[in-house]
Amino acid sequence: MTDTARPAITTEAELAAEEEWLLASVRMTAREREGWAYGTLGALLLAHGRLFTPTPWPGGGDPPGELGKCFIEAVSWAWASDGALAYIEGAALDEWAREQPHAWCAGSDGAALDLTWPRPGRAYLGLPVRADAAQRIMSETCGPLLYGAEGLISPTAERWMRDGLPDGLLVDIGRPVPRD
């Protein structure tokens, strides 16, 4: 099989273009809904999400997590970090520039610590959630914060879209989403 992944991002301009591509995709889904704080998951991500910088796994080599298990791997690592890492859940462009529901960790530097993709994603947009809060909510609901089965949104995300985010849930890391 031929490797058809796009070459790694090498410049700030390339990163900006990849992030704009991801943001444009999310913006197409953003809608208002009467009586709700955020009409869609896209609207929630644009309002409270942050951008994270793609980086290779520290020290080289492959990340330690199991492909396809990003939500559990990221929350486990974040929770075990004693506050050094936040759990991030949102959307990312994979190495082929396909938008995917995804989870990763990040520290105060805003670098995406992707535990499951062998190559860093091309762009990352997500909610930076306190690790203890993410672990507690995911344990209670037995699933990711934003995504449910078969591409649907989770009950947690639906509640946040309707009522807004709980106070103190998010960590101030990553880069703000540029406004139109």
Side-chain angles (χ1 to χ4, degrees):
M1 186 168 143
T2 305
D3 184 1
T4 59
R6 294 171 65 174
I9 295 170
T10 58
T11 68
E12 286 185 35
E14 288 172 328
L15 176 58
E18 297 288 353
E19 288 177 345
E20 190 50 46
W21 180 265
L22 179 58
L23 288 170
S25 177
V26 172
R27 284 181 180 121
M28 285 192 300
T29 70
R31 302 281 183 275
E32 292 183 11
R33 186 175 186 179
E34 189 172 334
W36 287 49
Y38 309 98
T40 63
L41 187 56
L44 176 66
L45 282 171
L46 292 171
H48 295 285
R50 294 296 189 101
L51 294 165
F52 294 86
T53 305
T55 54
W57 187 254
D62 289 335
E66 184 179 344
L67 190 60
K69 306 279 185 189
C70 63
F71 303 107
I72 192 69
E73 295 281 5
V75 76
S76 297
W77 273 69
W79 189 65
S81 74
D82 291 325
L85 298 173
Y87 171 80
I88 320 297
E89 191 172 323
L93 292 182
D94 67 14
E95 64 183 300
W96 295 279
R98 296 177 303 198
E99 183 182 338
Q100 303 285 332
H102 197 47
W104 59 97
C105 295
S108 60
D109 64 357
L113 185 59
D114 195 323
L115 292 128
T116 60
W117 285 355
R119 294 184 184 161
R122 304 195 66 77
Y124 293 86
L125 169 66
L127 296 179
V129 178
R130 283 189 0 257
D132 61 325
Q135 189 277 334
R136 179 183 49 76
I137 295 166
M138 291 171 75
S139 292
E140 291 170 358
T141 62
C142 299
L145 300 177
L146 302 178
Y147 301 103
E150 300 182 26
L152 300 175
I153 62 167
S154 73
T156 302
E158 184 176 353
R159 187 174 61 254
W160 292 349
M161 288 164 46
R162 185 183 57 244
D163 304 331
L165 293 175
D167 290 337
L169 179 72
L170 300 182
V171 179
D172 187 17
I173 60 172
R175 291 176 281 115
V177 172
R179 302 296 170 210
D180 294 339

